[in-house]
Coordinates of all heavy atoms in Angstrom, one line a residue:
T987 N 61.3 -41.7 172.3 CA 62.3 -42.7 172.7 C 63.1 -42.1 173.9 O 63.4 -42.9 174.8 CB 63.2 -43.0 171.6 OG1 62.4 -43.5 170.5 CG2 64.1 -44.2 172.0
W988 N 63.5 -40.8 173.9 CA 64.3 -40.3 174.9 C 63.6 -40.2 176.2 O 64.2 -40.4 177.3 CB 64.8 -38.9 174.5 CG 65.9 -38.9 173.6 CD1 65.9 -38.8 172.2 CD2 67.3 -39.1 173.9 NE1 67.2 -38.9 171.7 CE2 68.1 -39.1 172.7 CE3 68.0 -39.4 175.1 CZ2 69.4 -39.3 172.7 CZ3 69.4 -39.5 175.1 CH2 70.1 -39.5 173.8
L989 N 62.3 -40.0 176.2 CA 61.5 -40.0 177.4 C 61.1 -41.4 177.9 O 60.7 -41.6 179.0 CB 60.3 -39.1 177.3 CG 60.5 -37.6 177.1 CD1 59.2 -36.9 176.7 CD2 61.0 -37.0 178.4
G990 N 61.0 -42.3 176.9 CA 60.5 -43.7 177.2 C 59.1 -43.8 177.4 O 58.6 -44.7 178.0
T991 N 58.3 -42.8 176.9 CA 56.8 -42.8 177.0 C 56.2 -42.2 175.8 O 56.9 -41.5 175.0 CB 56.4 -42.1 178.3 OG1 55.0 -42.3 178.5 CG2 56.7 -40.6 178.3
C992 N 54.9 -42.3 175.7 CA 54.2 -41.7 174.6 C 53.8 -40.2 175.0 O 53.7 -39.9 176.2 CB 52.8 -42.4 174.4 SG 53.0 -43.8 173.3
I993 N 53.7 -39.4 174.0 CA 53.2 -38.0 174.2 C 51.7 -38.0 173.7 O 51.4 -38.3 172.6 CB 54.0 -37.0 173.4 CG1 55.5 -37.1 173.8 CG2 53.5 -35.6 173.7 CD1 55.8 -36.9 175.3
G994 N 50.9 -37.7 174.7 CA 49.4 -37.7 174.4 C 48.8 -36.5 175.0 O 49.4 -35.5 175.2
Y995 N 47.5 -36.7 175.3 CA 46.7 -35.5 175.7 C 47.2 -35.0 177.1 O 47.3 -33.8 177.3 CB 45.2 -35.9 175.8 CG 44.4 -34.9 176.5 CD1 44.1 -33.7 175.9 CD2 43.9 -35.1 177.8 CE1 43.4 -32.7 176.5 CE2 43.2 -34.1 178.4 CZ 42.9 -32.9 177.8 OH 42.2 -32.0 178.4
R996 N 47.5 -35.9 178.0 CA 47.7 -35.4 179.4 C 49.2 -34.9 179.6 O 49.4 -34.1 180.5 CB 47.5 -36.6 180.4 CG 46.1 -37.1 180.4 CD 45.8 -38.0 181.5 NE 45.9 -37.3 182.8 CZ 45.8 -37.9 184.0 NH1 45.5 -39.2 184.1 NH2 45.9 -37.2 185.1
N997 N 50.1 -35.2 178.7 CA 51.5 -34.8 179.0 C 52.1 -34.0 177.8 O 53.3 -33.7 177.8 CB 52.4 -35.9 179.3 CG 52.5 -37.0 178.2 OD1 51.8 -36.9 177.2 ND2 53.3 -38.0 178.3
H998 N 51.2 -33.6 176.8 CA 51.8 -32.8 175.7 C 52.2 -31.4 176.2 O 53.2 -30.9 175.7 CB 50.7 -32.7 174.6 CG 51.3 -32.3 173.3 ND1 50.5 -32.1 172.2 CD2 52.5 -31.9 172.9 CE1 51.3 -31.8 171.1 NE2 52.5 -31.6 171.6
C999 N 51.5 -30.8 177.1 CA 51.8 -29.5 177.7 C 53.2 -29.6 178.4 O 54.0 -28.8 178.3 CB 50.7 -29.0 178.5 SG 51.0 -27.3 179.2
R1000 N 53.3 -30.7 179.2 CA 54.6 -30.9 180.0 C 55.7 -31.1 179.0 O 56.9 -30.6 179.2 CB 54.5 -32.0 180.9 CG 53.5 -31.8 182.0 CD 53.2 -33.1 182.8 NE 52.3 -32.9 183.9 CZ 51.6 -33.9 184.4 NH1 51.7 -35.1 184.0 NH2 50.7 -33.6 185.4
F1001 N 55.5 -31.8 177.9 CA 56.5 -32.0 176.9 C 57.0 -30.7 176.3 O 58.2 -30.5 176.1 CB 56.0 -33.0 175.9 CG 57.0 -33.3 174.8 CD1 58.1 -34.0 175.0 CD2 56.7 -32.8 173.5 CE1 59.0 -34.3 174.0 CE2 57.6 -33.0 172.4 CZ 58.8 -33.8 172.7
W1002 N 56.0 -29.8 176.0 CA 56.3 -28.5 175.4 C 57.2 -27.7 176.4 O 58.2 -27.1 176.0 CB 55.1 -27.7 175.1 CG 55.3 -26.5 174.4 CD1 55.5 -26.3 173.0 CD2 55.6 -25.2 175.0 NE1 55.7 -25.0 172.7 CE2 55.8 -24.3 173.9 CE3 55.6 -24.7 176.3 CZ2 56.1 -22.9 174.1 CZ3 55.9 -23.4 176.5 CH2 56.1 -22.5 175.4
W1003 N 56.8 -27.7 177.7 CA 57.6 -27.0 178.7 C 59.0 -27.5 178.8 O 60.0 -26.8 179.0 CB 56.9 -27.0 180.0 CG 55.9 -25.9 180.1 CD1 54.5 -26.1 180.2 CD2 56.1 -24.5 180.2 NE1 53.8 -24.9 180.2 CE2 54.8 -23.9 180.2 CE3 57.2 -23.7 180.1 CZ2 54.6 -22.5 180.3 CZ3 57.0 -22.3 180.2 CH2 55.7 -21.7 180.3
Y1004 N 59.1 -28.8 178.7 CA 60.5 -29.4 178.8 C 61.3 -29.0 177.6 O 62.5 -28.7 177.8 CB 60.4 -31.0 178.8 CG 61.7 -31.6 178.5 CD1 62.8 -31.5 179.4 CD2 61.9 -32.4 177.3 CE1 64.0 -32.1 179.1 CE2 63.1 -33.0 177.1 CZ 64.2 -32.8 177.9 OH 65.4 -33.4 177.7
I1005 N 60.8 -29.0 176.4 CA 61.5 -28.6 175.2 C 61.9 -27.1 175.4 O 63.0 -26.7 175.0 CB 60.7 -28.8 173.9 CG1 60.4 -30.2 173.7 CG2 61.4 -28.3 172.7 CD1 59.4 -30.5 172.6
C1006 N 61.0 -26.3 175.9 CA 61.3 -24.9 176.0 C 62.5 -24.7 177.0 O 63.4 -23.9 176.8 CB 60.0 -24.2 176.5 SG 60.2 -22.4 176.7
E1007 N 62.4 -25.4 178.1 CA 63.5 -25.2 179.1 C 64.8 -25.8 178.6 O 65.9 -25.2 178.8 CB 63.1 -26.0 180.4 CG 62.0 -25.3 181.1 CD 61.6 -26.1 182.4 OE1 62.3 -27.1 182.8 OE2 60.5 -25.9 182.9
E1008 N 64.8 -26.9 177.9 CA 66.0 -27.5 177.3 C 66.6 -26.5 176.2 O 67.8 -26.4 176.2 CB 65.7 -28.8 176.7 CG 66.9 -29.7 176.3 CD 67.6 -30.3 177.6 OE1 67.0 -31.2 178.2 OE2 68.7 -29.8 177.9

Side-chain angles (χ1 to χ4, degrees):
T987 306
W988 281 98
L989 290 170
T991 186
C992 278
I993 303 301
Y995 170 70
R996 297 191 65 181
N997 61 355
H998 198 177
C999 183
R1000 293 171 182 157
F1001 178 70
W1002 185 89
W1003 277 110
Y1004 165 66
I1005 298 173
C1006 185
E1007 293 176 13
E1008 195 72 72

